[in-house]
Amino acid sequence: MIRMFSKSMAGAMILAASMGGAAFAEPTKPECLAGAKPGGGFDLTCRLAANSLLATHEISKPMIVTYMDGGVGVVAYNHVISKRSHDPNLISAASSGSALLIAQGKFGKYDETAVRWLGALGADYGVLVVNASSPYKTLSDLVAAYKADPKSFAVGGGGAIGSQDWMKGSLLAKAAGQPPKEMRYVALEGGGAVLTALEGGHIKVGAGDAAEMVKHHAAGKVRILAVMSPERLPGELADVPTAKEQGFDIEWPIWRGFYVGKDVPDADYQWWVNAFEKLSKTPEFAREREERGLFEYTVLGADFEAQVKSDVSRYKTLASEFGL
């Protein structure tokens, strides 16, 4: 009986030790890799995690943010895969734009299965916007006019052909039954340039993001005709109908999320997932997300893995359909 009791106690102690190790597997040197220069979307994503994880005591040491410019995340993606595939301290910023580039084969020989996807902690949404003096009041108005005379429509976006803004414009062309590749697309340097071109009458339609356009819409400088979200967005965009409300099956979420190396151990991967789950329910995180112009969008762990794979598959279909 004494021997059996000792074995049971030993087993319980081992189990407790293993559970304790899993429960306290906090990274010793937390780091977030932003695959671009400071100040962009990847930097925003890393800062969102770094600030809120520390504020909510999910991590006890400040998270370092490092930068690796090149190919809108391509260089960083390849670096994680080749150099830091096992590193449990490192998370890397990603977005739906990353999935779009992967779908177009712009991440080189690596695809979406080359890393482990942790989760998305916020999103913006695509919008179609016109000048405040434009005769088009609804998305239906715009689609009908575009269908009647596509050559007269210059569509501007913050990126080259194949970028997210180009894809949003292409969805307009598709809705009008016109070839996206024949769209008169004007590639501009970011959302600010799109707004300037709209207000100056140099383009008729702007493809952009809700967070960039909302203040100008509220001020009456431009008119957002549709948000590419599943439901209406809150706040100053509550009066803007979704594309779906207006009869067009168009959605474009721009999620902000993270991945880790393919060979990070399961326990460490799960620590990050659990930390993000707890984080997402805190008021500190909600404030950080709002300050960065993001809307609520939390998808974690296996669900996020499935989301990314689904997005890449959808983008591949669209890229082929749009002649990319």
Side-chain angles (χ1 to χ4, degrees):
M1 183 179 292
I2 293 173
R3 186 178 300 166
M4 289 176 62
F5 177 79
S6 298
K7 286 183 177 180
S8 298
M9 284 295 292
M13 290 171 66
I14 292 170
L15 178 61
S18 66
M19 289 177 67
F24 295 97
E26 178 187 336
T28 55
K29 297 179 180 179
E31 178 184 352
C32 187
L33 177 61
K37 295 176 182 176
F42 290 145
D43 189 10
L44 176 153
T45 306
C46 279
R47 296 292 174 186
L48 173 66
N51 291 358
S52 53
L53 283 168
L54 189 63
T56 56
H57 308 292
E58 292 299 324
I59 55 175
S60 56
K61 299 176 183 176
M63 174 177 278
I64 298 168
V65 177
T66 53
Y67 303 92
M68 188 171 289
D69 190 20
V72 197
V74 175
V75 172
Y77 197 76
N78 281 260
H79 172 76
V80 171
I81 293 165
S82 61
K83 303 292 185 184
R84 304 185 68 176
S85 181
H86 295 81
D87 191 343
N89 291 291
L90 181 71
I91 61 173
S92 298
S95 73
S96 51
S98 307
L100 180 60
L101 290 174
I102 291 171
Q104 295 178 45
K106 294 183 179 180
F107 270 39
K109 63 182 179 179
Y110 299 116
D111 64 11
E112 69 278 10
T113 66
V115 298
R116 301 186 75 175
W117 298 92
L118 275 178
L121 288 178
D124 200 351
Y125 290 92
V127 295
L128 291 173
V129 58
V130 296
N131 190 297
S133 62
S134 170
Y136 313 118
K137 307 295 185 185
T138 67
L139 183 56
S140 294
D141 292 343
L142 179 61
V143 169
Y146 188 98
K147 184 174 184 178
D149 189 10
K151 298 290 185 184
S152 70
F153 278 82
V155 180
I161 290 174
S163 67
Q164 292 201 77
D165 282 356
W166 184 88
M167 296 294 282
K168 296 166 199 167
S170 295
L171 291 170
L172 167 63
K174 180 184 176 183
Q178 301 297 322
K181 234 185 167 181
E182 295 180 16
M183 174 177 59
R184 284 184 58 202
Y185 181 73
V186 181
L188 298 164
E189 290 292 329
V194 173
L195 285 161
T196 300
L198 267 178
E199 292 174 19
H202 305 299
I203 59 175
K204 279 192 176 181
V205 184
D209 302 341
E212 281 184 315
M213 302 293 178
V214 59
K215 297 298 181 186
H216 300 271
H217 170 81
K221 294 181 179 180
V222 298
R223 182 185 306 127
I224 298 176
L225 297 183
V227 292
M228 298 178 178
S229 54
E231 299 175 350
R232 289 201 186 196
L233 298 177
E236 293 175 312
L237 288 174
D239 65 326
V240 179
T242 67
K244 283 198 168 185
E245 279 183 78
Q246 300 177 72
F248 300 95
D249 189 17
I250 298 175
E251 286 190 19
W252 199 273
I254 306 150
W255 49 257
R256 296 286 178 186
F258 306 88
Y259 63 87
V260 295
K262 183 73 172 179
D263 300 313
V264 167
D266 288 344
D268 296 297
Y269 172 85
Q270 196 59 48
W271 185 92
W272 283 110
V273 172
N274 292 344
F276 283 164
E277 183 174 12
K278 289 183 282 185
L279 177 71
S280 68
K281 298 172 182 176
T282 65
E284 292 90 345
F285 172 74
R287 284 194 295 271
E288 287 280 348
R289 184 182 60 211
E290 185 176 350
E291 285 176 8
R292 284 160 177 76
L294 296 177
F295 300 95
E296 185 175 355
Y297 188 89
T298 304
V299 186
L300 302 172
D303 290 338
F304 187 53
E305 286 266 5
Q307 171 78 55
V308 174
K309 290 174 181 176
S310 174
D311 283 350
V312 171
S313 177
R314 180 166 68 95
Y315 295 154
K316 282 180 179 178
T317 300
L318 288 176
S320 175
E321 187 179 326
F322 295 168
L324 294 177

